[in-house]
Amino acid sequence: MASQEDVFKKLVAHCKEYGFVFPSSEIYDGLGAVYDYGQNGVELKNNIKKYWWDSMTLLHENVVGIDAAIFMHPTTWKASGHVDAFNDPLIDNKDSKKRYRADVLIEDLIAKYDEKINKEVEKAAKRFGDSFDVELFKQTNPRVLEHAKKRDEIHERFAKAMNDNDLAELKQIIIDYEVVCPISGTKNWTDVRQFNLMFSTEMGSTAEGAMKVYLRPETAQGIFVNFLNVQKTGRMKVPFGIAQIGKAFRNEIVARQFIFRMREFEQMEMQFFVRPGEELKWFEHWKQFRMRWHQALGFGEKKYRFHDHDKLAHYANAATDIEFEMPFGFKEVEGIHSRTNFDLSQHAKYSGKKIEYFDPELNQSYTPYVIETSIGVDRMFLSVMAAAYTEEQLEGGDSRVVLRIPPVLAPVKACIMPLVKKDGLPEKAREIMDELKFHFHCAYDEKDSIGKRYRRQDAIGTPFCVTVDHDTLNDNCVTVRDRDTMQQTRVAIADLQKMIDEKINMRNLFKEIVK
Ligand code: ATP
């Protein structure tokens, strides 16, 4: 069986070969952690965004959208804490000239001790068979105890150094435990420095005094600074939410794993404003709603889990991630955070404006608390592709690669194919296409054998192939082939649109989510 790493490599290659994702400016050898979406990728991405947007704004009459600019007044980022604290600690190896995140090097070191312990346990389990008591073994085996002691020691020093922002101590841990650079194999490290992840640029000509502005590292602040605008003009009553989809930029130090960690990416965020004291109830509500949104796609419950944060950001009083099982393990796709009234209060303080809500029911003014749901479009895209990518052995020794993308998200919904390129079949196929194209995205293909054409559509995840044959001219029926079951059914042309719509319309998923 292919290893997970191989599967991931194949998936990346497939994304490129079939027009989903290309490296940015590839003819110049690409740009680190920046990607372009191709002709099929953009359709899938747009469908993901629509699925999210409609689930927020159609299903909730108290959630409205905005589209804020990427550039914001620089004080925004002072107030939000990003100028001072949106940092990662970095360290360079002087020999390989490679850059690492010091915290990640230490986390990997801790993981190595965990691995060592697991290996001892596995070995012993084999030796002792059924009578093996894991807990007893872990509490008594001298080698395991020694590894556990080391791991706890490092963990304790690491947690303290991170909390105290003690960069010298982070380096000392790396030195004391002899962490080597995986490339050069040496321990020749620079000091640890804080690295701010925000990109900056200049706005205005230098003659009139240029201003340093940032490319937003999250979309959320565009919502906070517009809180009063939306609340007043929309006459919104707490609780209510503001949703937004847009680009965000982070100068990630180590950018690996394809579109999982990018320097330019897209977020779908919703801030839900509530009465102080009711935030944990709403936190639970949105946690469940967001999980149902994911699960309605049908990849199976086992693919998802919640991961609660042990260490909360100073402004948060509850936080959890929705993790998805990627080919490289369970990874965060979405964060759900209870952010208290931190952001609105900070913006009130820095702008000198009163940012409050008068609650007519309580007859009192307050700064609302916020529940945020924040999901990366690109990570969602990757999770869909990873779960959809399937290599299948067929009867008769044949094989196929099929993307089992949920039909509601598939880039192309139906491909119309005349069996042969003559006898009036192409004209009939075009006639069908000309009607269906008003309803959903269709493709037309008349080249090569039907078998080859099916494979091409399987590879981009098209749920239906519609074949026009000689009988069609007499009975006005077509053969519809299902992507997943490969079963073929005869359908009247008059029923085609309704039949396909039933499978690809998001309304069925939405009904499931709000149940
Ligand atoms: P991580 O710990 O993986 O860096 P984060 O906790 O910093 O992520 P948030 O700030 O909570 O992420 O951002 C919300 C969402 O935005 C994430 O769940 C993820 O889907 C997406 N996201 C964040 N950073 C990136 C990135 N560099 N590339 C792609 N998506 C990202």
Side-chain angles (χ1 to χ4, degrees), residues 442-505:
C442 300
Y444 176 86
D445 192 1
E446 56 178 23
K447 204 168 173 297
D448 301 320
S449 70
I450 281 286
K452 272 199 186 149
R453 285 184 256 171
Y454 282 164
R455 292 293 171 274
R456 278 203 286 270
Q457 296 305 318
D458 286 346
I460 63 166
T462 307
F464 300 104
C465 287
V466 175
T467 306
V468 174
D469 56 24
H470 291 94
D471 290 342
T472 308
L473 303 179
N474 303 318
D475 65 4
N476 270 319
C477 289
V478 285
T479 302
V480 177
R481 181 252 195 193
D482 182 286
R483 176 195 71 196
D484 298 335
T485 61
M486 296 194 286
Q487 263 169 9
Q488 306 188 2
T489 26
R490 204 74 188 155
V491 177
I493 295 172
D495 298 336
L496 201 52
Q497 185 262 324
K498 196 160 169 281
M499 187 212 112
I500 297 176
D501 179 75
E502 200 43 48
K503 290 276 167 54
I504 59 141
N505 200 308

Side-chain angles (χ1 to χ4, degrees), residues 213-259:
V213 292
Y214 299 97
L215 297 176
R216 65 180 177 197
E218 62 174 29
T219 56
Q221 298 304 325
I223 291 179
F224 291 125
V225 299
N226 276 299
F227 168 77
L228 282 182
N229 284 338
V230 175
Q231 191 272 317
K232 292 215 156 87
T233 58
R235 299 192 298 138
M236 307 301 292
K237 289 201 167 51
V238 165
F240 74 93
I242 305 178
Q244 176 170 221
I245 300 179
K247 289 268 181 158
F249 304 82
R250 294 182 188 178
N251 198 2
E252 300 279 359
I253 297 173
V254 182
R256 286 190 234 114
Q257 290 166 330
F258 194 39
I259 55 173

Side-chain angles (χ1 to χ4, degrees), residues 250 252 259-262 265 267 332-335 337 374-376 379:
R250 294 182 188 178
E252 300 279 359
I259 55 173
F260 183 79
R261 191 171 296 286
M262 301 157 93
F265 58 101
Q267 288 186 314
E332 170 183 345
V333 172
E334 170 158 8
H337 312 121
S374 172
I375 168 168
R379 280 196 196 172

Side-chain angles (χ1 to χ4, degrees), residues 160-179:
K160 186 163 182 324
M162 289 297 280
N163 275 329
D164 298 350
N165 218 350
D166 186 346
L167 303 182
E169 171 67 355
L170 285 180
K171 177 169 182 184
Q172 202 53 50
I173 298 172
I174 289 172
I175 302 291
D176 289 352
Y177 290 92
E178 306 192 332
V179 175

